[in-house]
Amino acid sequence: MNKREPPSQEAFDKLLSWLDPDRDKAAEKYQRIYLRLVRIFAAKGCVDEGDLADQTVNVVAIKIDWLIENYVGDPALYFYGVANKIFLEQRPRRPLPSPPPPPDNTEIERRCHCLEKCLETDASPEERDLVIRYHEGDGRARIENRKRMAEELGITVNALRIRICHIQARLRPCIEECLRQLDW
Amino acid sequence: MALSNHDQTQIREYLLGKLNEEEQQRIEERLMVEDELFDEFEASKDELIEDYCDGELSQNERQWLEEHFLVSNDGRQRRAFALAMKCFHVPVAQVNEAPRPTWFQRFKSLFRTEPAAVINGSSVALVQPWTLVLLTSVVLVALIGLLVGTRTFSRGGGITFTGPTLASNVIKRGAENSLPKKVKLPRNAASLKLRLLLPKDATPATRYEAELDDRINTKQSEVVEFDNEAVSVVIPADQIPRGEYSLKLTAIDAAGARHAIPGEYLFNTE
């Protein structure tokens, strides 16, 4: 069986049990590991980060019997070890990516429209105001603005940026979906 | 474990390809198991993209980001989000990821001693001393000409400010409740030029008419150019003091029949 083929249901179930005996906690841990693999592949410049994360999971699942018997340590690190090998293996084959095209006004306009829409549908009014205010101003003014916002909320600037980051993470898929609908 | 400033710096350096292989691997291992570091990683990416869009990264940093993180789906989505966010606050026409080098910067770069200097992606060959003298003279003459020209132009009543590209509220979301686009008119603007996107199924037209509505009166606006995608209009600044406006377009086909373009193009002047 090819290591990159999807695992059998049995192997995948064993993999989840290996992560945690509690099925819900196991699913949560699996999702966390999967997301981090995707993000690391993305940071390394992989165009097909989701596909590479899938391959990583497939390889780990194939070895699950051996892992249950022998592996000691955080499973997330084993996933990472496999991911790193897959990255190194595919790196020489990777074609030189083309730089992103310059922003096109029509495209920006469409994205702006989708952002407006998603801020209404996927964020509470408070979150909407928070995100919009957070991005106001430029340079020094923007830094001061963010300090002021953090003071008003009684949190640190770092806590504010993490909060904004979580809201934006929720908005991004909504924007992608909205753009797909506009394309239809 | 609480994060240190060193962690924040390292995450940024990691994203910009400034760590060696061993440091990279250590950071990646920590990202797999430390929630706080992963949150920092996510937030740093947003900030890095913000800096990229604001033109605040060095040429090497831009290039690294473009060849790595920005080719991924995650990178593309974050960049799109940052651009949309900028457009939320400033007119589209001003959204500019990589500010073009100023004339002074371009001129200065010609004096480099390297055999080839890369300016904004294109190469400039080694410049010999006699060419520097010649170039200096040309630039000085051009500057004087520019100054004279600008003064003459200013006396003529100010500039035409190019504002954002607008989509009609029908293209955007159906006729109701669309937010008007903000336009900050510079003080020296004599007129405002707006590009109005046409719907994909717009009737082919030989010309267009535009009507400006300030919610009390309507006035004709000058259509200065159009193509299959958009119509550009120019509105005298004195017709649009601070407030909300809408533009309506009418397409006139070869037979002279008039077809109203559905919806309105909303904007707010400041």
Side-chain angles (χ1 to χ4, degrees), chain A residues 77-93:
Chain A
L77 292 177
Y78 187 81
F79 276 91
Y80 170 68
V82 172
N84 206 21
K85 288 214 173 78
I86 288 178
F87 172 73
L88 294 173
E89 199 180 274
Q90 62 86 51
R91 191 163 55 172
R93 293 203 305 265

Side-chain angles (χ1 to χ4, degrees), chain A residues 4 7 17-18 35 58 72 116 122 126-127 138-139 171 178:
Chain A
R4 304 298 159 80
S17 311
W18 178 54
L35 175 69
N58 295 348
V72 181
E116 280 177 34
D122 281 44
E126 293 77 22
E127 288 174 333
D138 284 308
L171 292 171
C178 165

Side-chain angles (χ1 to χ4, degrees), chain B residues 112-124:
Chain B
R112 288 184 183 176
T113 51
E114 293 92 338
V118 176
I119 301 169
N120 211 19
S122 56
S123 297
V124 175

Side-chain angles (χ1 to χ4, degrees), chain B residues 133-197:
Chain B
V133 175
L134 182 66
L135 271 169
T136 310
S137 315
V138 169
V139 168
L140 277 175
V141 170
L143 277 175
I144 292 165
L146 193 68
L147 270 173
V148 172
T150 310
R151 280 169 155 268
T152 312
F153 188 60
S154 302
R155 280 189 220 117
I159 60 162
T160 295
F161 175 72
T162 303
T165 297
L166 305 181
S168 87
N169 51 2
V170 167
I171 295 179
K172 286 173 98 174
R173 69 172 75 187
E176 81 293 344
N177 196 28
S178 184
L179 291 175
K181 186 71 62 190
K182 285 181 187 169
V183 179
K184 281 184 184 167
L185 265 183
R187 285 178 191 281
N188 61 342
S191 53
L192 169 68
K193 184 177 179 183
L194 293 170
R195 188 164 177 264
L196 313 176
L197 291 177

Side-chain angles (χ1 to χ4, degrees), chain B residues 234-250:
Chain B
V234 170
I235 309 163
D238 58 11
Q239 287 184 8
I240 42 173
R242 190 188 176 110
E244 193 175 314
Y245 299 89
S246 74
L247 280 161
K248 289 175 190 158
L249 280 180
T250 304

